[in-house]
Amino acid sequence: MSTREGASADMIRTLWRRIVDVLREHAPATARTIRHPGPVEDVRALESVVGLPFPADLVEWWALMDGIDDGYDQRAGDLVPNGFVPLSVTRAREEYERLTESTATDPTCCGPDRTHRNRAGDDGGPFCSAMVPFCRDLTGAVLCVDLRDGDDHGMLVTMAPGDGFGATHWGSVTEMLAEIAERLEAYARGAELPYGEKHPTVDPEGKIHWTESAG
């Protein structure tokens, strides 16, 4: 199965365990802020609000952790490149409802009855109701899963205030977690990274941070 189509629960559990193992040893302050899983009913309630089924890898990741206890101030560090912090399901719903209430939808894409003319991975703006946010940074930008139809269904997109949304290099939550796991493990053993990528850094307080050049 392509990672753009989701991944097995075992794969997500393995990737997350690899990430948490490195964080506990090398970035304990970040590791301590990972929240325990929340009620599965919260995920299904958010899915009902969005009106589109979530990819299995997003659902499984939320089943392993309910975001980061960061209080919007990133005292947890940046678990996700570039500067993103995973949201709890409750806060993901708050972000989605805030966007739907305060931001105009893309007139070239969003139609009545939650239909969408554009395909997954297409850029646009200012907002598309088929984007479910699951990470946020200090500027108010969110990292979303694109739920529109198409070969890139499940792709991750960034949505910034006033800038619309655009595709990232991650084709799925699975691809994102795989990259984080690989780069953290390379950091832990001091290995070279390919393609000019840079290691994350850990500050004196034990919080992890990423450069802006991931991927």
Side-chain angles (χ1 to χ4, degrees):
M1 177 182 290
S2 166
T3 54
R4 288 176 183 254
E5 297 171 340
S8 71
D10 286 345
M11 180 183 295
I12 301 302
R13 285 194 291 268
T14 298
L15 290 171
W16 185 237
R17 184 170 58 250
R18 288 167 57 191
I19 291 168
V20 172
D21 284 348
V22 176
L23 292 177
R24 285 174 175 164
E25 181 176 356
H26 295 275
T30 297
R32 285 193 297 268
T33 60
I34 298 171
R35 294 163 57 94
H36 295 297
V40 67
E41 292 82 5
D42 290 352
V43 178
R44 296 309 176 196
L46 175 56
E47 193 173 43
S48 178
V49 168
V50 177
L52 294 166
F54 291 171
D57 52 4
L58 175 61
V59 174
E60 181 60 30
W61 193 33
W62 264 328
L64 298 172
M65 61 95 229
D66 192 26
I68 294 292
D69 185 17
D70 73 309
Y72 283 101
D73 62 7
Q74 283 187 298
R75 63 176 178 265
D78 313 326
L79 196 149
V80 175
N82 293 301
F84 287 103
V85 173
L87 295 172
S88 68
V89 179
T90 297
R91 281 183 47 195
R93 180 169 178 170
E94 290 172 356
E95 287 291 326
Y96 184 81
E97 291 177 340
R98 178 185 64 81
L99 287 165
T100 56
E101 292 169 4
S102 64
T103 309
T105 53
D106 185 345
T108 71
C109 179
C110 301
D113 301 323
R114 298 176 178 176
T115 58
H116 300 277
R117 289 185 287 274
N118 296 338
R119 309 289 283 173
D122 289 345
D123 296 347
F127 170 64
C128 173
S129 59
M131 309 285 178
V132 56
F134 70 102
C135 294
R136 188 182 189 276
D137 72 7
L138 278 176
T139 71
V142 289
L143 185 63
C144 303
V145 177
D146 191 340
L147 302 180
R148 292 176 295 182
D149 291 334
D151 292 340
D152 292 325
H153 175 79
M155 171 175 278
L156 306 192
V157 302
T158 55
M159 189 182 308
D163 293 333
F165 52 87
T168 71
H169 66 283
W170 292 312
S172 64
V173 170
T174 304
E175 288 186 11
M176 181 196 75
L177 293 177
E179 179 181 317
I180 293 172
E182 290 164 3
R183 294 181 69 191
L184 283 176
E185 290 171 342
Y187 163 84
R189 65 178 185 271
E192 291 290 330
L193 287 167
Y195 313 121
E197 293 175 354
K198 296 181 180 180
H199 286 300
T201 59
V202 177
D203 68 21
E205 297 178 351
K207 297 180 294 186
I208 196 161
H209 300 278
W210 297 87
T211 70
E212 293 296 324
S213 60

